[in-house]
Amino acid sequence: MTQMDHIALDEQARAILRGNDRGGYTVPTAGLYPYQWNWDSAFAAWGFAQFDVGRAWQEVETLFSGQWPNGMVPHILFHKPDPGYFPGPDVWGTQGKGPILSSGISQPPVAATFVRAIWEKDRAAGEPRARALFPRLRDWHRWFMDWRAEDGAICITHPWEAGRDNAPDWDGAMAAIDPVGVGEYTRRDTSHVDPAMRPTKYDYDRYIWLVQLGKRLGWDEAALKEHNPFRVADPTMTFILLRANRDLAAMGRALGEDVSEIEEWTAALEAGAAALWNEDLASYDAKDVRAGRFAGCVSSASFLCWYGGVDDDRMLAQVERVWGAVRYPVPSHDPESPEFNAKRYWRGPTWCIINALIGIGMADAGHAAQADQLRTGTAALVARHGFAEYFDPTDGSPAGGGTFTWTAAVWLGWASPSAGRA
Ligand code: DGY
């Protein structure tokens, strides 16, 4: 890539963030995702931090303005009605639970790590904003420890909570759901994007059935913990919360806060991460808590161990095998497994956000050559194929939504040769 190329791409990425800005929050992409999504928004903040630090803070503050009194930060905030998306606020039925109409589940807590990175851009100017966000982040992390931890591993209660909606990791737990009474509904996602790149009707029936269950139980966490058949310990959540906790503790120390509770969570999460090691697979894996069974999946989330601060050489052998099987790593699912599908959302495609988290973790752990290979490979993918939502790992062809916020943010924060690496 010439210098001219990457400067033009930097400009395009900034224009995508500006174009998806709806005034204080950023949509992932127009049409397909018309609201504020939790982890998309945290990535957007990281992207903005590379050229407009004030706007970066505002993105996270808007996200936390939707925090529920129990500490949960929802995965979608429905700031303004939009008939182009399903399921909207009426289906979720969360009215009265939080300050803004929202979904009833959360999403991977990357926010604390990006808040720390934003703060690093200007410590003195950012301190009041970091100080205001610190207790809110801590309340959110406590909510995960209270309601999602099983022996220290963090569970999801809906495939949408992991952000990896249709990953084969959930197939076993999804098969145990009989979506009886789900009724008729009209999907909107497949009118924006080729249905072959989206989850199937089989998946959607179960997604909606789980939302209806949450609504019926008034989004009461204790009731859901008892009655929800879907509870899967997830490497995405576990490694990401582990990392976020370490960054939150570092922020807390710098602010003169007591971080002993956060340090206890970190120790619990380290034990939880170790319990996700599947010896038969020689990999970190998801585990269905209800059935007591590993999923048997090497996914891109398995490679988040380094990001979580778990330096595990056993995963380097998996990296070589999985990356070597495709042209553009990291495939979201093992390309040598029968479930692999190069186009269908989280069953194979490469996602730049996961690449960035894996690459940051590898660099931190001292695996510089692999980290650099991943970063330059991701840069080549975007330079050749654009700022798509995700990509076919076999040939790089773009998939899902276009002009995508988090792909632009990852470009600015990490993949671009001019990225600050913050
Ligand atoms: C969707 O609508 O596809 C989202 O992933 C749900 O969060």
Side-chain angles (χ1 to χ4, degrees), residues 143-404:
W143 174 86
F144 276 109
M145 299 311 292
D146 286 348
W147 295 112
R148 295 292 185 268
E150 291 286 344
D151 298 326
I154 301 301
C155 300
I156 57 166
T157 59
H158 191 297
W160 288 340
E161 206 158 46
R164 298 188 295 129
D165 302 7
N166 65 341
D169 304 46
W170 332 128
D171 285 0
M174 289 286 269
I177 295 174
D178 179 4
V180 63
V182 72
E184 293 292 314
Y185 58 89
T186 306
R187 285 174 66 171
R188 301 288 176 198
D189 59 317
T190 42
S191 64
H192 298 287
V193 165
D194 178 354
M197 297 175 177
R198 294 288 303 174
T200 58
K201 173 165 168 54
Y202 171 95
D203 285 323
Y204 255 79
D205 281 352
R206 285 157 183 78
Y207 299 157
I208 301 308
W209 185 88
L210 284 167
V211 171
Q212 292 168 346
L213 173 72
K215 181 179 181 180
R216 210 161 46 242
L217 296 177
W219 298 105
D220 178 292
E221 291 294 354
L224 276 162
K225 191 165 179 185
E226 202 181 326
H227 298 293
N228 185 349
F230 189 94
R231 192 167 175 86
V232 184
D234 169 27
T236 341
M237 281 291 190
T238 306
F239 289 128
I240 286 176
L241 186 60
L242 193 43
R243 171 66 179 238
N245 238 5
R246 297 188 203 279
D247 287 317
L248 188 63
M251 274 177 60
R253 277 183 221 106
L255 291 166
E257 298 274 350
D258 176 4
V259 296
S260 50
E261 182 187 18
I262 301 173
E263 283 165 346
E264 279 168 31
W265 297 336
T266 301
L269 287 160
E270 281 173 343
L276 294 185
W277 181 259
N278 179 345
E279 191 60 50
D280 296 338
L281 197 64
S283 178
Y284 292 99
D285 192 2
K287 192 171 194 179
D288 181 344
V289 168
R290 299 295 188 219
R293 258 199 314 266
F294 275 118
C297 293
V298 180
S299 73
S300 51
S302 308
F303 300 117
L304 291 173
C305 52
W306 297 286
Y307 183 73
V310 178
D311 186 11
D312 194 329
D313 279 354
R314 297 174 297 183
M315 287 306 289
L316 289 174
Q318 289 287 7
V319 161
E320 242 171 72
R321 182 182 67 80
V322 167
W323 296 16
V326 293
R327 180 146 177 228
Y328 292 105
V330 179
S332 43
H333 186 69
D334 187 345
E336 291 174 343
S337 124
E339 279 79 36
F340 175 79
N341 179 325
K343 303 269 186 222
R344 204 182 278 285
Y345 214 37
W346 288 93
R347 299 181 81 85
T350 288
W351 294 72
C352 292
I353 49 151
I354 301 290
N355 284 11
L357 303 184
I358 295 172
I360 289 169
M362 289 183 131
D364 288 353
H367 303 301
Q370 291 92 337
D372 206 51
Q373 183 195 340
L374 188 54
R375 193 182 56 74
T376 52
T378 306
L381 174 63
V382 172
R384 287 176 201 148
H385 299 283
F387 292 94
E389 183 180 6
Y390 45 94
F391 301 86
D392 180 330
T394 64
D395 63 6
S397 49
T403 55
F404 217 84

Side-chain angles (χ1 to χ4, degrees), residues 32-33 37 75-76 85-87 92 105 107 160 163 165 189 198-199 204 345:
L32 181 60
Y33 303 116
W37 260 261
H75 103 293
I76 308 176
Y85 183 80
F86 176 85
W92 285 94
I105 56 172
Q107 238 177 2
W160 288 340
D165 302 7
D189 59 317
R198 294 288 303 174
Y204 255 79
Y345 214 37

